Amino acid sequence: LVTIPRDYNAAHDLLARNAQRAGKIAFIDAVSGEQLSYGELTDQSHRFANALRAQGFAPESRILLAMLDTPQWPVVFLGCILAGVVPVAVNTLLTTQDFEFMLRDSRAQGLVVSSALLPAFEPLLGKVETLKTVIVAGVDDLPENSSSNQALAALIRAQPATKTIADTCADDACFWLYSSGSTGTPKGTVHLHSHLLQTAELYGRGVLGIQESDVVYSAAKLFFAYGLGNALTFPMSVGATTVLLPARPTPADVFGILKKHQPTIFYGVPTLYAALLADPARPEKGELSLRVCTSAGEALPAEIGKKWTAQYNCEILDGIGSTEMLHIFLSNRPGQVRYGTTGQAVPGYALRIVADDGSECGAGEIGELQINGPSAALMYWNNRAKTKATFAGEWTRSGDKYIRDADGYYTYGGRSDDMLKVGGIYVSPFEVEACLMTHPAVLEVAVIGAMDADELVKPKAYVVFKSGQAATMEELKAHVKLQLAPYKYPRWIEFVTELPKTATGKIQRFRLRQKQER
Ligand code: 3SK
């Protein structure tokens, strides 16, 4: 285990580790070609921290970070932490309604937003009383008197690079990420200064063997816990180089990056690996420099792992992590991969499987996976009940069912709640149902997970219409896409005359799941 001193600032540590590499490229923007060296990253992060102080942001106040993956993302994240301000990194694919909830829940006094995402926030400016300062990234300057918004680039330019570092300690709140809940209400997950380095040491170094010579590319964005470790903490902990892509990655984008920048580590999710393998324009293995690939977010079908290894002579390390544990605690390891399993406990994390009656399961018995490790979040903000239910003393409940075999390899057995993981992101079936119910023709609806041709889960809806009314499948899909984040819409819709229910009228989703499996 890593020992972290009591007086500790995570951003200062990650930057100080690279003090002797000032000229080395830390981040590359795959679209604009912009490169930020470790020296420039340090300089700009301190300038941004000074700007926050000059604007009166107090330590422990929050700033919502809604930014595309560009080299400014780490500048803002690290700058906040240097100033003792807590960045709350949010999923950029969400809607105005989701952002309003997060701004109100976190009481963030500041917002740093990429100019392309500003329209989703505009209806909230002046409406959310606690939000005082809006900083726009991705523009050089804003026209004077256009609004009270400020340009990130201008703020950074105007400040000295003086190094003032907030007096934080390892157990102080450092940053938050929002974790999705089955009721559709996201939970502000509070992480400490010590957690970033713990994940870098245990998984980044311990499992991936990341080193200075690595070039990394993560398809998962920096606002996801998976992406944050992959593309910021791990490479910065050893002075490696990260390629960032602001847009959602298509197979052409990914292969373009793998060919042009020659990453040695590629972090993906199963849906993307399936799309890459199906791409007729995929490169030959000799064109790439991959030494290790990872997968998380949802279980990797064995076929996809085998095909990828055959195609690129490189293993995919399937693993599972969580926003609550910050990164991966259970994973396959290089040279010991067993496709179809999620591998073994990451050294530094203890795992146990617990049955419904609270007893610990033995090999071959299914139960809920629980984790004990040094990166477990402090709590869910404003949510005592869910905090108590999830963080049970030393053990954190995952909500995932697992079976362990006699060799210590774990196999995924589904969720304990109704949540679906779609392309690696949680989707609440209740949120999709509530949205479909707002369509005037819909009387009742139930949403479950169904498998696509690659054995990956996507939402499927069963819809009952009101008498004399109807809508087409395409209309209903468009209705959801208009209101919810794009990945949440049902890929299939079946029209039925009634839904299976209990005697008391509760919808029996498990019957629909059984019907699906047959
Ligand atoms: O989805 C996962 O498996 C995951 C992995 C690393 C960090 C966070 C998450 C949710």
Side-chain angles (χ1 to χ4, degrees):
L1 276 192
V2 199
T3 312
I4 295 182
R6 183 188 177 279
D7 296 330
Y8 179 80
N9 182 286
H12 172 59
D13 180 17
L14 288 174
L15 292 168
R17 285 165 175 259
N18 297 293
Q20 304 309 316
R21 297 188 188 96
K24 179 161 187 203
I25 301 305
F27 292 97
I28 303 174
D29 183 324
V31 172
S32 70
E34 181 197 346
Q35 301 193 341
L36 198 66
S37 69
Y38 273 105
E40 289 163 333
L41 175 65
T42 307
D43 180 273
Q44 292 193 22
S45 303
H46 280 285
R47 285 176 195 268
F48 184 61
N50 291 333
L52 293 179
R53 282 202 199 89
Q55 304 239 343
F57 280 94
E60 292 170 26
S61 58
R62 267 89 53 204
I63 288 197
L64 208 81
L65 195 167
M67 290 174 73
L68 303 178
D69 277 21
T70 70
Q72 274 60 59
W73 203 106
V75 168
V76 171
F77 185 75
L78 297 169
C80 285
I81 297 172
L82 285 172
V85 173
V86 177
V88 179
V90 299
N91 180 342
T92 56
L93 303 170
L94 298 179
T95 62
T96 302
Q97 204 188 346
D98 298 315
F99 294 138
E100 177 167 5
F101 172 83
M102 291 170 185
L103 279 169
R104 290 193 188 282
D105 182 60
S106 65
R107 294 188 210 99
Q109 292 170 10
L111 163 69
V112 185
V113 56
S114 293
S115 55
L117 303 172
L118 193 54
F121 283 90
E122 250 145 15
L124 308 174
L125 307 184
K127 182 178 171 201
V128 177
E129 308 74 23
T130 39
L131 178 62
K132 306 285 184 224
T133 306
V134 178
I135 300 170
V136 184
V139 287
D140 209 39
D141 246 324
L142 292 169
E144 256 179 51
N145 303 330
S146 62
S147 68
S148 54
N149 299 352
Q150 309 175 60
L152 175 66
L155 271 181
I156 289 176
R157 270 197 309 271
Q159 289 294 322
T162 336
K163 291 188 178 158
T164 326
I165 299 145
D167 284 336
T168 49
C169 73
D171 287 345
D172 265 322
C174 181
F175 64 97
W176 302 8
L177 301 171
Y178 270 94
S179 163
S180 320
S182 60
T183 57
T185 315
K187 302 178 292 272
T189 310
V190 180
H191 278 288
L192 307 182
H193 277 261
S194 57
H195 292 175
L196 291 169
L197 193 67
Q198 292 287 6
T199 58
E201 284 296 323
L202 298 178
Y203 178 79
R205 205 175 52 77
V207 174
L208 300 179
I210 192 165
Q211 42 194 309
E212 184 180 2
S213 55
D214 278 312
V215 175
V216 312
Y217 169 59
S218 169
K221 300 292 173 197
L222 287 161
F223 61 74
F224 288 118
Y226 181 44
L228 181 66
N230 296 344
L232 188 147
T233 326
F234 306 165
M236 283 194 69
S237 71
V238 293
T241 297
T242 297
V243 183
L244 294 174
L245 176 72
R248 285 183 85 179
T250 62
D253 293 328
V254 175
F255 282 135
I257 290 173
L258 298 186
K259 283 200 286 190
K260 178 166 179 199
H261 297 280
Q262 295 290 310
T264 49
I265 305 181
F266 170 58
Y267 312 93
V269 294
T271 318
L272 183 58
Y273 282 112
L276 292 171
L277 284 165
D279 185 353
R282 63 183 178 274
E284 295 304 319
K285 63 174 122 211
E287 295 178 68
L288 309 185
S289 300
L290 295 172
R291 82 170 173 81
V292 64
C293 293
T294 71
S295 181
E298 58 186 318
L300 178 76
E303 267 319 289
I304 297 180
K306 287 178 193 163
K307 278 191 195 153
W308 184 265
T309 302
Q311 173 78 22
Y312 291 112
N313 195 21
C314 176
E315 291 173 320
I316 302 179
L317 308 182
D318 187 22
I320 181 174
S322 67
T323 306
E324 288 74 7
M325 294 307 297
L326 191 54
H327 215 275
I328 291 176
F329 44 77
L330 168 61
S331 178
N332 280 282
R333 279 187 243 153
Q336 299 170 40
V337 170
R338 289 194 192 169
Y339 285 129
T341 80
T342 322
Q344 299 162 291
V346 170
Y349 291 95
L351 303 180
R352 68 180 184 191
I353 297 179
V354 178
D356 288 346
D357 65 4
S359 63
E360 200 169 329
C361 297
E365 291 171 353
I366 191 162
E368 186 196 31
L369 180 68
Q370 301 188 354
I371 312 105
N372 179 347
S375 56
L378 177 67
M379 61 170 165
Y380 296 131
W381 182 256
N382 274 346
N383 202 331
R384 184 74 190 123
K386 291 228 162 96
T387 297
K388 284 204 299 187
T390 302
F391 304 101
E394 293 289 332
W395 294 92
T396 301
R397 299 182 60 176
S398 70
D400 290 303
K401 289 191 202 142
Y402 264 93
I403 301 179
R404 186 185 58 243
D405 69 14
D407 299 336
Y409 279 77
Y410 289 68
T411 301
Y412 183 62
R415 288 284 304 169
S416 313
D417 55 22
D418 284 296
M419 293 296 280
L420 312 176
K421 271 267 186 124
V422 179
I425 318 178
Y426 279 116
V427 173
S428 161
F430 309 121
E431 190 187 10
V432 184
E433 287 172 7
C435 179
L436 281 166
M437 284 299 287
T438 63
H439 190 283
V442 173
L443 177 68
E444 282 182 325
V445 58
V447 171
I448 60 163
M451 297 271 199
D452 68 9
D454 290 311
E455 296 188 27
L456 296 166
V457 173
K458 303 282 179 303
K460 171 171 182 175
Y462 290 83
V463 169
V464 182
F465 287 125
K466 288 177 189 160
S467 155
Q469 304 211 28
T472 65
M473 231 179 260
E474 290 318 312
E475 278 164 4
L476 293 178
K477 287 181 185 179
H479 180 77
V480 177
K481 282 188 193 170
L482 259 181
Q483 297 181 60
L484 302 183
Y487 54 87
K488 298 182 180 175
Y489 82 94
R491 308 307 193 269
W492 310 274
I493 301 180
E494 204 171 310
F495 300 123
V496 289
T497 49
E498 59 179 352
L499 293 172
K501 292 197 186 129
T502 61
T504 55
K506 214 168 166 261
I507 295 172
Q508 293 173 309
R509 286 181 190 73
F510 76 92
R511 287 205 189 283
L512 295 171
R513 281 194 286 265
Q514 283 169 350
K515 185 174 147 195
Q516 191 59 38
E517 278 154 20
R518 264 183 254 132

